[in-house]
Amino acid sequence: MAGTVTPNRLRELAEFRAESGCAISLYLGFDPSTAALIPAASTKINSLLDEAQKSTFANRSELTHEQKRGLQDDFDRTRRFLSEEFKRDGVRGVAIFTDGLDNFWSANALTEPVADQVRVGPDFYLTPLVPLLGRGDGAVVAVVGRERGRVYLLRGGRLEEVADHTEEQPGRHDQGGWSQARYQRHIDELAAAHLRTVADELDRRVRAGATQVVVLCSDESRAELDDMIARETRSAIVGWAPGEPHASTTELLRRALPFLERARLEEQSEALARWQEEAGRNGRAAAGWQQTLEAASDGRVELLLFQEGVNREAYQCPSCRRAQIQAGACPLDGTQLEPRRDGIDLAVHQTLAHGGEVRSLPRERHELGPVEGIAALLRY
């Protein structure tokens, strides 16, 4: 499996555009109550691929024989991968992006279920991946004590150990002729050196790009560790909690997830507050479809915000890729605009392609309701 959804992977997918072939995007979700085997899903796999083969884009009269053959090869490869190679192993869904004539194939394990759907077009359909961002992938979970020092990275919904700085400290039977006070100072110095090693490890992880850290440790170790870590690392810590010495990775993840989810919700609220402040003073903010698509096409969007499920038809220039909600000719080069049924995907692509970020809000949040469910913070 090629990997899970990250901002970098999403940006790479957004930058792709079919040149020789056609871009196929297939999403498949799994019911966690069913067996972890793909044959149970064979019927809907065949149904999705049949839908793709009958789609308007896949049956355009201007497609060459080579492009039609390429599409069929991509459908066959996708079916073989899902029926013969793919292993669920706790995965809740899969997203496949392929265009064989342009040498592109990407299969992505999903830790959250997605709706079954398929698209064939000039680029990949990415909107279903946006709600999966910020779900903790790439977060660091550390189990720390005066002897313990295990560091894990959350990947694909599982904790993978990336460092073990556990050190067995000498016991009382090792005291020998030392005085009790001198021996205790020695033990404390060893523990402090150990915690310093763990602190350095956490600092390295944050400098390498980790933005969320959960630390499981005692109150005593927390006080010592907090004094040793860098300010940047302290800001990245989204939760402290007591940790069990011999807890399994499953239990550790169960303890960490609430902190990661709370951090995600807080990030949403902070982004909305920033947008509301900018919009309230007619500052660097876009509101509604027309303003947001225009800003995204101009590369001005720093952060795109939209409510899950929002969508409308829009139009895109096949030459420069500019998007807008009105039909007609492109205002930049005069090319006739083409209709696209997924206007939200155009906004996502334009934002990512110009280096911006994207965030979706759950359906129960209605702050963007008055502005058609879509808005953006702007660079200028």
Side-chain angles (χ1 to χ4, degrees):
M1 184 64 67
T4 54
V5 181
T6 65
N8 286 340
R9 181 173 295 275
L10 199 59
R11 201 175 308 282
E12 291 169 3
L13 292 168
E15 292 171 350
F16 175 85
R17 186 169 178 83
E19 298 293 342
S20 301
C22 300
I24 301 173
S25 311
L26 182 142
Y27 292 86
L28 191 63
F30 302 118
D31 182 347
S33 66
T34 63
L37 299 173
I38 205 64
S42 60
T43 299
K44 63 178 180 179
I45 292 170
N46 290 330
S47 176
L48 284 171
L49 293 175
D50 183 59
E51 177 186 339
Q53 289 175 307
K54 294 177 180 178
S55 68
T56 302
F57 196 90
N59 288 277
R60 292 175 300 151
S61 59
E62 59 264 35
L63 286 183
T64 66
H65 174 74
E66 182 183 17
Q67 288 173 322
K68 293 178 181 178
R69 182 68 254 175
L71 269 173
Q72 187 59 53
D73 289 344
D74 287 337
F75 294 144
D76 292 342
R77 180 181 182 184
T78 300
R79 182 179 284 105
R80 285 196 307 273
F81 172 79
L82 290 172
S83 61
E84 300 174 11
E85 302 174 40
F86 177 63
K87 298 295 187 295
R88 281 184 58 180
D89 294 333
V91 170
R92 303 289 297 277
V94 61
I96 295 175
F97 305 97
T98 180
D99 176 1
L101 291 182
D102 289 302
N103 298 311
F104 195 99
W105 168 269
S106 177
N108 303 267
L110 306 179
T111 57
E112 299 290 333
V114 290
D116 301 335
Q117 52 189 316
V118 65
R119 295 282 195 281
V120 181
D123 44 33
F124 295 128
Y125 178 54
L126 303 180
T127 302
L129 296 182
V130 178
L132 305 185
L133 292 173
R135 296 278 182 174
D137 229 49
V140 170
V141 178
V143 184
V144 184
R146 289 170 68 86
E147 296 183 356
R148 288 173 292 149
R150 295 183 182 273
V151 180
Y152 302 86
L153 198 62
L154 180 57
R155 292 195 184 106
R158 298 180 180 182
L159 288 180
E160 299 178 7
E161 186 176 298
V162 292
D164 183 2
H165 297 292
T166 300
E167 301 176 23
E168 184 177 352
Q169 305 293 355
R172 291 187 178 276
H173 61 279
D174 297 321
Q175 182 172 345
W178 290 19
S179 68
Q180 181 63 39
R182 182 185 174 195
Y183 180 70
Q184 187 58 51
R185 283 196 303 272
H186 175 64
I187 295 298
D188 291 343
E189 289 170 358
L190 290 176
H194 161 70
L195 289 175
R196 167 57 64 188
T197 299
V198 177
D200 290 344
E201 177 69 34
L202 294 179
D203 289 344
R204 281 196 297 272
R205 295 290 165 182
V206 172
R207 287 196 301 270
T211 59
Q212 295 179 322
V213 179
V214 177
V215 181
L216 305 177
C217 65
S218 67
D219 290 341
E220 179 185 8
S221 294
R222 171 179 177 173
E224 295 180 74
L225 188 67
D226 194 46
D227 289 336
M228 296 177 179
I229 56 178
R231 180 184 304 175
E232 184 182 9
T233 303
R234 193 175 296 112
S235 298
I237 294 179
V238 298
W240 298 83
E244 295 297 327
H246 306 295
S248 66
T249 54
T250 301
E251 175 60 21
L252 294 176
L253 181 58
R254 187 189 69 80
R255 300 288 303 279
L257 283 178
F259 294 107
L260 299 174
E261 178 63 14
R262 185 179 65 187
R264 187 176 71 90
L265 296 176
E266 289 176 353
E267 182 189 30
Q268 289 178 358
S269 296
E270 290 171 3
L272 277 169
R274 285 176 57 204
W275 173 79
Q276 289 169 334
E277 180 182 356
E278 290 288 341
R281 59 186 179 88
N282 293 320
R284 293 182 298 175
W289 282 98
Q290 181 170 337
Q291 289 185 10
T292 303
L293 277 178
E294 179 181 347
S297 295
D298 290 339
R300 293 188 289 124
V301 172
E302 173 189 328
L303 176 63
L304 174 69
L305 298 167
F306 65 91
Q307 188 172 6
E308 286 182 34
V310 69
N311 197 17
R312 65 158 294 162
E313 184 179 58
Y315 298 85
Q316 185 177 38
C317 176
S319 178
C320 70
R321 304 182 72 178
R322 185 176 184 80
Q324 61 184 50
I325 60 173
Q326 301 91 0
C330 175
L332 298 184
D333 56 31
T335 304
Q336 190 65 26
L337 301 178
E338 296 179 343
R340 296 287 296 270
R341 61 170 171 162
D342 294 307
I344 189 60
D345 212 53
L346 293 182
V348 169
H349 270 84
Q350 293 287 359
T351 298
L352 291 170
H354 288 97
E357 298 183 19
V358 293
R359 292 290 185 276
S360 65
L361 305 176
R363 296 174 186 268
E364 56 267 23
R365 299 200 71 152
H366 304 292
E367 290 93 334
L368 297 181
V371 293
E372 304 175 284
I374 187 169
L377 282 161
L378 307 181
R379 296 189 176 101
Y380 58 90

